[in-house]
Amino acid sequence: MPILRVKPDDRELEAKAGEKLLEASLRAGIAHTHVCGGRARCSTCRVMVLEGLENCSPRNERETRMAERLHFAPHIRLACQTSIAGPVLARRLVLDAEDVALTSQLGADAQLDTVGEEKRLAILFSDIRNFTTFSEKLPPYDVIHLLNRYFHLMFEAIRRHRGRVDNIMGDGILALFGVEQSEGAALDAVRAGLEMIERVQQLEPYVKSTYGTECFTTGVGIHYGEAVMGTVGSGDTKRTTVIGDSVNFASRIESANKQARTRMLISQDTFDHVREQVRTGRRLEIELKGKSGRYQLLEVVGLHSPR
């Protein structure tokens, strides 16, 4: 039987006759990513053939469609569609700590039981820039895989700064700070927002190498104000969420990043609570969609170093 060597796992195994690389890899206990279940409907099982490309089966129709869509070089193959007839050395391409941890993240935020309680919160909205246009170029399974990876990183940043993810809307995130402890909520939200932006910047090389694009950035908007927190829904759909003008205001602030060409904007109310700790860039006075009048917003560019 032909020998398959898999990196970065440094595993060597025998591939059965007609067995696909993905099947052989999984049979050997290798955690080989395959979001669509090995049906060539995503590209997450892709490998780079380092040696022995001549021993790989020709691309079938399904793999050819994916390769043409994503402009694969000849040595980039879908493990779910490729079998081998001789020795091959291949490297798995979709892997790291974030990939391994993805599947258990979306349900990790416990909901708090509260009904009709008015609270002063820091409300954070974030959104991926031009994600609809970006996602139209990718297979649906790849879009979901990338979103889950993105959400995993964002949720970690939010939790690190005592925040709670309240909702996700497409590629948008609504997070709350001060649900359990109001002191320092505005600063916690700003710190989380800055970390979210930093993590997206760290994710950009992955997106560029995997999907061939550099256009992957996020915008963050924060408002500190009163909102009503309560349980909404019926039966199994019940969940705790927030409503009120402050929520809408925070959403509009996030959207203003597009017009202002900024990455993070905060309201004057937020700034009043963090002015000693944050470094600001531009101060804007702009109209917000769905709101009357003009509003003072500030661009946050970083934090002051501790003295």
Side-chain angles (χ1 to χ4, degrees):
M1 290 189 287
I3 300 299
L4 171 64
R5 289 181 291 152
V6 182
K7 288 187 170 295
D9 311 87
D10 292 323
R11 295 287 302 278
E12 183 176 297
L13 54 119
E14 292 183 338
K16 299 177 182 179
E19 188 176 37
K20 301 298 189 288
L21 294 186
L22 177 61
E23 295 170 340
S25 183
L26 294 175
R27 180 169 53 80
I30 296 173
H32 199 137
T33 307
H34 55 297
V35 173
C36 75
R39 294 176 291 170
R41 297 181 64 180
C42 75
S43 68
T44 59
C45 72
R46 71 182 72 176
V47 296
M48 178 186 295
V49 179
L50 303 174
E51 297 176 10
L53 183 60
E54 68 279 5
N55 295 324
C56 294
S57 59
R59 282 180 174 146
N60 59 23
E61 182 178 350
R62 290 191 291 180
E63 184 181 5
T64 297
R65 284 199 301 267
M66 185 68 68
E68 291 176 350
R69 183 174 183 177
L70 296 181
H71 306 288
F72 283 171
H75 62 287
I76 304 299
R77 301 296 305 270
L78 291 184
C80 69
Q81 302 298 307
T82 305
S83 58
I84 62 175
V88 166
L89 173 63
R91 175 180 292 277
R92 296 191 295 122
L93 295 180
V94 178
L95 73 161
D96 60 14
E98 286 76 16
D99 283 341
V100 172
L102 289 179
T103 55
S104 63
Q105 294 306 309
L106 293 181
D109 284 279
Q111 300 297 327
L112 302 177
D113 294 326
T114 179
V115 179
E117 179 183 4
E118 189 173 57
K119 296 183 73 69
R120 193 160 182 81
L121 302 168
I123 303 165
L124 179 152
F125 271 88
S126 72
D127 184 73
I128 302 174
R129 289 288 161 264
N130 303 314
F131 187 74
T132 300
T133 302
F134 172 75
S135 63
E136 287 173 349
K137 302 176 184 178
L138 299 179
Y141 284 96
D142 287 59
V143 174
I144 296 300
H145 177 77
L146 180 58
L147 274 178
N148 282 338
R149 181 187 178 96
Y150 166 78
F151 287 141
H152 171 54
L153 295 174
M154 298 303 100
F155 290 5
E156 278 191 338
I158 291 165
R159 293 191 194 101
R160 267 175 40 83
H161 298 284
R162 302 190 295 177
R164 197 194 87 189
V165 176
D166 178 83
N167 202 2
I168 56 174
M169 302 141 289
D171 59 293
I173 299 172
L174 164 59
L176 308 175
F177 298 79
V179 172
E180 298 177 348
Q181 180 178 335
S182 59
E183 184 179 356
L187 184 57
D188 284 341
V190 170
R191 284 172 170 161
L194 289 171
E195 183 173 335
M196 291 165 73
I197 291 170
E198 181 181 358
R199 284 177 176 245
V200 170
Q201 291 173 330
Q202 294 170 353
L203 184 60
E204 286 175 345
Y206 170 87
V207 176
K208 180 180 179 181
S209 63
T210 306
Y211 301 109
T213 179
E214 299 181 30
C215 301
F216 195 81
T217 58
T218 191
V220 174
I222 300 172
H223 174 57
Y224 186 66
E226 298 286 343
V228 175
M229 173 174 287
T231 301
V232 298
S234 175
D236 293 340
T237 67
K238 283 187 177 181
R239 68 182 187 88
T240 301
T241 189
V242 288
I243 59 173
D245 185 64
S246 290
V247 181
N248 180 58
F249 190 23
S251 174
R252 300 308 184 192
I253 294 171
E254 187 283 314
S255 295
N257 282 292
K258 302 172 187 176
Q259 174 185 344
R261 298 183 182 275
T262 52
R263 290 198 172 189
M264 183 172 176
L265 292 172
I266 63 174
S267 66
Q268 181 67 50
D269 294 302
T270 308
F271 179 68
D272 289 343
H273 289 79
V274 299
R275 63 172 68 243
E276 299 298 324
Q277 293 88 9
V278 304
R279 293 187 293 113
T280 57
R282 298 160 57 196
R283 175 183 284 272
L284 310 172
E285 184 177 331
I286 62 176
E287 295 181 356
L288 297 176
K289 184 178 179 180
K291 303 280 290 182
S292 60
R294 299 177 68 84
Y295 294 86
Q296 295 280 339
L297 302 180
L298 296 99
E299 178 188 16
V300 174
V301 296
L303 297 173
H304 289 304
S305 300
R307 295 177 181 176

